[in-house]
Amino acid sequence: MRRAIFAKFLQVILVVLLLSTFIFYIASSSALLKNSRKDMLYTLSAIDKIINYSGDITGEVEKLKTVLNGKQSRFTVIRMDGVVVADTIDVPVASLDNHSEREEVKKAKEEGEGYSRRYSDTLKENMLYVAIRSAESDYILRMATPYTGMKEYLMLLLPAVWLSFLVAIMYSAFSADSFAESITKPLKEISQEMLKVNGDYTDLSFETYQYPEINIIAETTTKMSSNVKDYLNQIEMEKQIRQEFFSNASHELKTPITSVQGYAELLESGIIADEGQKKDFINRIKKEAVNMNNLINDILMISKLETKEAEVLMSDVRLSIVLDDIIESIKPLAASHEVLIHMDCKPLCIYANGQQMKELFGNLITNAVKYNKPGGEVWVKVTEEDRNVIIQVKDNGMGIPKDSLGRIFERFYRVDKGRSKKQGGTGLGLSIVKHIVNFYHGTITVQSELDVGTEFTVKIPIQGKVC
């Protein structure tokens, strides 16, 4: 990269030098031509004032020959019809062509002055011609002088040009090397710092460099390292959660299976003769089977919620109807726990999955009933606020300890394991609620105080129009 930057820098410098030299040559040539014309016009104006047009014009021009030839210049007096009257060159005037079509003569006749550059067949060299219309009589005065532009100075300037080129290239080579070093050195330092990681995404440390773009690379690298570290930590945490999930799921399934197997073996052995006891064992087997079925259904529900690709059928769901169905199905449970349920639901309809809404309401209200006290109450309120559905489930039951509030949404976590087992919960209810809320990009919060009660607040954004 350093070599490429160096080569590109030199290329740019060479192009700039060549371009500037060309521009300088053009500008100098133009300036030289302009000054030469100006000097010749001034000379012609001066000659126009000293010539005696009423006398012998040829004799007057002869007087100028000595002076002008010393300057390698030519002076010509031309009539308005283009015929040469007098000329400082040593050729017969009668042998000269009519000059009316000469560019400088035409312009002088029309505009008062004119000029042109061309090769002179008479003098055999390139000449600059300048002509003016006489202010003293009806003649056109013309002066011609050898003119090669900057070419005659080029050989004089060439050593200086080459010397300046050499100095410029040497300086540009030094500058290019320094510039390349200022870019490649920070990149090497960033690369060396990244090599220190070696699988351990610790915090990287970079200096502040002179180029903001390189600082952006350093900052981006630091952020990427931090993101990778966070990602790896998240993967490790999810791995632990998954291991805990399988361990807890195995334990939760093993307990009812062991119980079912034990009761079945007792019944199969024939030891139990009492019909009432046999019936009790069969009821217990059925109860454990129901618990296992509920557990498996909850596990499948969480699995579907975690799998974003899983197809979820959405439709317009009227929350008041869902809530009525859930409370109707929970009434026997509420009656057995001597708990009264109050409902306040606005006529809201959202685009969602009906089964998921039933799971959300069912788990929250069931928990509020199960972990209440005799004579307790549960308040369920559903409202709309700022394009959000607000679901509040409040009870005046036993409450949740502060040290457990941060873990209640974990799978299989139980605040009171003994009581939860008796209540027949799977330990996945609140985890399912949390997953459903996340599925709809909502939030869930909980406030609780021991022996005072608990309140869950769910906020779900309304997608599209409220039906």
Side-chain angles (χ1 to χ4, degrees):
M1 180 179 178
R2 182 173 179 175
R3 184 177 298 175
I5 294 174
F6 184 79
K8 186 62 68 176
F9 200 92
L10 282 181
Q11 289 176 12
V12 172
I13 290 296
L14 286 173
V15 170
V16 170
L17 284 174
L18 291 172
L19 185 61
S20 61
T21 302
F22 176 74
I23 293 173
F24 171 76
Y25 178 80
I26 297 298
S28 299
S29 297
S30 177
L32 181 62
L33 177 61
K34 184 177 180 181
N35 290 333
S36 297
R37 287 168 48 202
K38 185 177 179 181
D39 291 341
M40 292 171 72
L41 285 170
Y42 177 79
T43 302
L44 285 173
S45 297
I47 292 172
D48 186 32
K49 292 179 180 179
I50 64 175
I51 289 181
N52 182 10
Y53 292 102
S54 61
D56 182 13
I57 296 178
T58 302
E60 294 288 325
V61 172
E62 283 293 328
K63 295 177 184 178
L64 298 172
K65 184 183 293 187
T66 303
V67 178
L68 293 177
N69 283 346
K71 295 183 179 180
Q72 295 183 332
S73 298
R74 174 186 178 187
F75 177 74
T76 309
V77 178
I78 306 168
R79 288 198 322 225
M80 287 296 180
D81 59 0
V83 176
V84 177
V85 176
D87 202 314
T88 56
I89 63 172
D90 295 325
V91 295
V93 173
S95 65
L96 296 175
D97 297 335
N98 188 288
H99 285 34
S100 60
E101 294 302 317
R102 302 292 170 89
E103 183 179 354
E104 69 279 2
V105 175
K106 289 176 65 176
K107 286 186 178 179
K109 190 187 298 185
E110 296 170 0
E111 302 174 11
E113 62 182 51
Y115 77 96
S116 66
R117 289 172 57 190
R118 64 177 178 271
Y119 181 79
S120 174
D121 293 328
T122 305
L123 300 176
K124 306 301 181 185
E125 61 180 317
N126 290 314
M127 305 289 286
L128 171 62
Y129 295 89
V130 176
I132 65 169
R133 189 167 56 200
S134 173
E136 306 297 332
S137 65
D138 291 334
Y139 289 103
I140 292 175
L141 307 183
R142 187 185 71 174
M143 180 178 284
T145 186
Y147 185 81
T148 56
M150 287 294 293
K151 291 180 182 179
E152 58 185 293
Y153 301 101
L154 197 57
M155 296 306 295
L156 298 174
L157 293 174
L158 199 57
V161 170
W162 280 111
L163 180 62
S164 63
F165 259 64
L166 183 61
V167 172
I169 289 174
M170 291 176 62
Y171 177 75
S172 64
F174 174 76
S175 300
D177 186 67
S178 300
F179 177 69
E181 176 70 14
S182 68
I183 292 179
T184 56
K185 184 180 177 182
L187 294 178
K188 288 179 181 177
E189 291 177 358
I190 292 173
S191 175
Q192 290 171 358
E193 188 70 19
M194 291 177 67
L195 289 174
K196 293 179 183 179
V197 173
N198 196 24
D200 179 19
Y201 287 85
T202 53
D203 293 333
L204 301 179
S205 176
F206 298 104
E207 297 181 7
T208 301
Y209 302 107
Q210 66 181 109
Y211 300 111
E213 294 81 3
I214 296 180
N215 288 326
I216 291 174
I217 294 175
E219 292 170 5
T220 304
T221 303
T222 303
K223 290 179 181 179
M224 287 177 63
S225 175
S226 177
N227 290 339
V228 170
K229 183 178 179 181
D230 294 340
Y231 180 69
L232 291 176
N233 290 338
Q234 183 179 353
I235 290 176
E236 185 62 28
M237 184 176 67
E238 289 179 354
K239 181 180 177 182
Q240 292 177 0
I241 292 173
R242 193 176 292 108
Q243 288 175 345
E244 290 179 4
F245 173 74
F246 284 121
S247 176
N248 291 330
S250 299
H251 176 74
E252 294 292 336
L253 285 170
K254 187 176 181 180
T255 301
I257 289 175
T258 302
S259 179
V260 167
Q261 185 178 5
Y263 289 132
E265 288 175 352
L266 285 173
L267 290 172
E268 185 181 31
S269 66
I271 297 175
I272 308 300
D274 183 41
E275 291 299 326
Q277 197 171 10
K278 286 181 180 181
K279 188 175 181 180
D280 180 54
F281 280 7
I282 291 172
N283 287 335
R284 291 185 181 185
I285 290 173
K286 289 173 64 177
K287 183 179 178 182
E288 294 296 347
V290 169
N291 289 339
M292 282 192 293
N293 186 58
N294 291 337
L295 178 60
I296 291 170
N297 287 336
D298 285 351
I299 292 173
L300 290 174
M301 172 67 75
I302 289 180
S303 177
K304 287 180 180 179
L305 290 169
E306 286 183 337
T307 306
K308 302 289 185 180
E309 293 79 12
E311 184 179 357
V312 177
L313 298 177
M314 309 284 278
S315 61
D316 294 334
V317 178
R318 296 192 178 277
L319 297 181
S320 58
I321 296 177
V322 173
L323 190 54
D324 284 337
D325 292 343
I326 293 298
I327 291 178
E328 189 66 28
S329 63
I330 294 176
K331 276 184 178 180
L333 179 67
S336 64
H337 285 75
E338 300 179 16
V339 173
L340 182 62
I341 301 176
H342 305 278
M343 184 184 78
D344 178 13
C345 181
K346 301 297 180 182
L348 293 173
C349 175
I350 64 171
Y351 188 68
N353 178 266
Q355 184 59 36
Q356 289 179 353
M357 292 297 104
K358 288 181 180 179
E359 290 286 340
L360 189 150
F361 281 115
N363 282 301
L364 289 176
I365 299 172
T366 299
N367 282 351
V369 171
K370 284 183 179 180
Y371 303 105
N372 213 312
K373 52 193 175 184
E377 296 179 87
V378 175
W379 294 269
V380 182
K381 186 177 182 181
V382 180
T383 57
E384 180 194 355
E385 181 181 323
D386 298 329
R387 297 289 299 169
N388 292 291
V389 172
I390 309 297
I391 300 171
Q392 294 170 295
V393 178
K394 181 181 178 181
D395 66 69
N396 58 354
M398 64 180 67
I400 303 171
K402 288 185 178 180
D403 57 351
S404 295
L405 282 175
R407 301 191 60 190
I408 58 174
F409 295 107
E410 294 179 12
R411 301 162 182 168
F412 298 110
Y413 182 80
R414 293 183 174 92
V415 176
D416 185 346
K417 292 182 174 60
R419 182 170 180 182
S420 296
K421 285 285 187 180
K422 291 179 182 178
Q423 297 294 346
T426 63
L428 295 173
L430 289 179
S431 180
I432 290 173
V433 170
K434 179 73 172 178
H435 276 79
I436 292 173
V437 172
N438 289 340
F439 182 83
Y440 292 98
H441 308 290
T443 59
I444 182 169
T445 56
V446 57
Q447 293 180 336
S448 185
E449 188 176 344
L450 285 176
D451 298 324
V452 175
T454 303
E455 181 177 2
F456 286 90
T457 302
V458 174
K459 182 183 291 186
I460 297 177
I462 298 175
Q463 303 295 331
K465 297 181 179 179
V466 180
C467 53

